[in-house]
Amino acid sequence: MNAAARVLVVDDSPTMRGLITAVLRSDPEVDVVGQAGDALEARAAIKALNPDVVTLDIEMPNMNGLDFLEKIMTLRPMPVIMVSTLTHRGADATLAALEIGAFDCVGKPSPGEPHPFGDLAEKVKAAARSQRQYVKPAAQRAPATAVADFRVGRKIVAIGSSTGGVEALISVLQKFPANCPPTVITQHMPPTFTRSFAERLNRLCAPVVEEATDGARLAIGKIYLAPGGDRHLRVANASAPHCRLVDGGPVNGHRPSVDVLFDSVAELAGRNAVGVILTGMGRDGAAGLLKMRHAGARTIGQNEKTCVVYGMPRVAHELGAVEQQLPLNAIGEEILKITAARKEGSE
């Protein structure tokens, strides 16, 4: 049996610290070794306790969570899980934290929520096991790679990701030209965060990136991100492909689910599709990617070395769903190679 994951809980609210601590202590494989109410207390606790993982509130007195996270990643790199309010402001700050190097995020629960913090304990354990090399973040992101004379073909691209997916998706999509193939994405993320993430991707990438809406037509040069919440993203109608937001229970514990998206792409596009599974906990998307491959689609999995969590891609690889495993920095170019129109102009 592995040693328990040792966690420091940082939040300015004693009530919230107590709730997080209670949720984590309900898992015998998690050991809450300390609590801190602000960045100064947290800094001292990290030095004294040497935790495996820190949960960190975004908004704190003296020094906010983002500023403190940057100091952690510079001076003492380690896995940090951000705890944020489910607001637009909270989402923007959390997405910035994920780009700085935070392992993952969770939303603060609403009053009366029956299962507050959901899978926080699982995220803490995954963070403690993570082989990720934590390094000082770059001062600024490199500009999008220019793609000369890309001629888009007729394929649809479907991408699934979870923990570590914010940075992974930015890395992949920044390689896309403005006339990229129609692309649909399911990224596991708390409700209200996906709109902010789509807006962030739209600023960073050459194509148009938007949160998917029911009935939105798939078009060249557009990328559609599944909204977080209570519906799944599917694609439908082979003659005029478009997004469908459908009701349904969680699949593999997630809604929206990558498997639901991949299943629909397999049925709709068959060999005229590319499926990509990126870093993430669990197995969501593995079976759907296998269905895509059996339908004739090309399939790519992120390799273990470049994953924050080699969960979803590992299961997909073990099932035989992955045609080729690639490092993160090679995936964008490979998608373009597969989806480019042939020189004679047909596919």
Side-chain angles (χ1 to χ4, degrees), residues 151 154 340-347:
R151 296 173 62 245
R154 300 176 183 175
R342 295 175 181 171
K343 289 184 179 179
E344 62 268 26
S346 63
E347 292 226 329

Side-chain angles (χ1 to χ4, degrees), residues 109-191:
S110 303
E113 191 169 322
H115 303 290
F117 293 110
D119 59 354
L120 175 58
E122 292 301 318
K123 290 184 177 182
V124 163
K125 290 185 289 186
R129 294 191 300 266
S130 174
Q131 298 301 305
R132 179 176 182 174
Q133 297 298 309
Y134 287 88
V135 296
K136 182 177 179 178
Q140 62 181 55
R141 184 170 306 284
T145 303
V147 180
D149 301 324
F150 177 76
R151 296 173 62 245
V152 66
R154 300 176 183 175
K155 285 181 166 56
I156 293 171
V157 177
I159 303 175
S161 51
S162 186
T163 304
V166 167
E167 275 290 281
L169 286 168
I170 291 171
S171 175
V172 170
L173 299 180
Q174 280 200 317
K175 304 291 178 66
F176 281 22
N179 62 331
C180 72
T183 300
V184 285
I185 300 170
T186 291
Q187 156 73 35
H188 299 155
M189 189 171 277

Side-chain angles (χ1 to χ4, degrees), residues 234-290:
R234 294 178 56 87
V235 294
N237 193 341
S239 60
H242 60 267
C243 297
R244 290 295 314 279
L245 299 180
V246 299
D247 294 328
V251 175
N252 300 315
H254 297 285
R255 186 174 53 200
S257 160
V258 180
D259 265 333
V260 171
L261 176 62
F262 283 176
D263 284 353
S264 71
V265 174
E267 294 165 5
L268 178 84
R271 63 186 295 271
N272 289 319
V274 180
V276 182
I277 194 160
L278 301 176
T279 174
M281 290 169 49
R283 61 184 303 117
D284 190 30
L289 194 70
L290 182 62

Side-chain angles (χ1 to χ4, degrees), residues 19 26 30 51 74 78 92 109 111 127 155 230 242 282 284-285 289 294 345:
L19 179 57
S26 68
V30 178
T74 302
M78 63 187 301
D92 285 346
K155 285 181 166 56
D230 56 2
H242 60 267
D284 190 30
L289 194 70
H294 285 165

